[in-house]
Amino acid sequence: RVHLGESGGGSVQAGGSLKLSCELSRYINCDMGWFRQAPGKERELVSMISTAGIITYTDSVKGRFTISRDNTKNTLYLQMSSLKTDDTAVYYCAACVYYSGGRPSATDWGQGTQVTVSS
C-alpha cells in the first residue's frame, strides 16, 4: 500500500486556476489518477497518467486541466485552469487505477481536497 497526501485545494472564482499536488509515501510503478466527486453525483475519473506516460482526460476538462507526475519527488499534480462552477467537487488522488465492470477505481486513495468554484 502507498499513502497519498493531497494539497492545493481551495476556493476560487470561475475562470481562475488551482494546482493540486499529491505526494506519495514511496515510488509506485502503476497508473495514477485524479478523481472527483460532487455532491449528489457519482465519483468520476478526471484524468489518468499511465506508467508509459499516456494521459487521458474526461471530456469536460480537456484543454483546461493538465496532469503530470514527477517521479523524482514521488508527486502527482493536477493543474486546473479556466475553472467552472461545475468543477466544484472533492478531488481525490489515486494510485494504481484499474477498471472493474467498466468503472474506474484504484487500490489506494488520498483523503481528498475540496475545490470550490464560485461564479
Side-chain angles (χ1 to χ4, degrees), residues 6-11 18-21 80 113-116:
E6 298 125 334
S7 61
S11 297
L18 284 173
K19 186 174 185 177
L20 305 183
S21 299
M80 305 184 294
T113 186
Q114 177 70 46
V115 171
T116 302

Side-chain angles (χ1 to χ4, degrees), residues 4 6 22 24 32-35 76 91-95 108-110 112:
L4 301 94
E6 298 125 334
C22 173
L24 284 68
M32 301 290 299
W34 288 95
F35 289 73
L76 181 72
Y91 284 71
Y92 297 91
C93 174
D108 295 284
W109 298 86

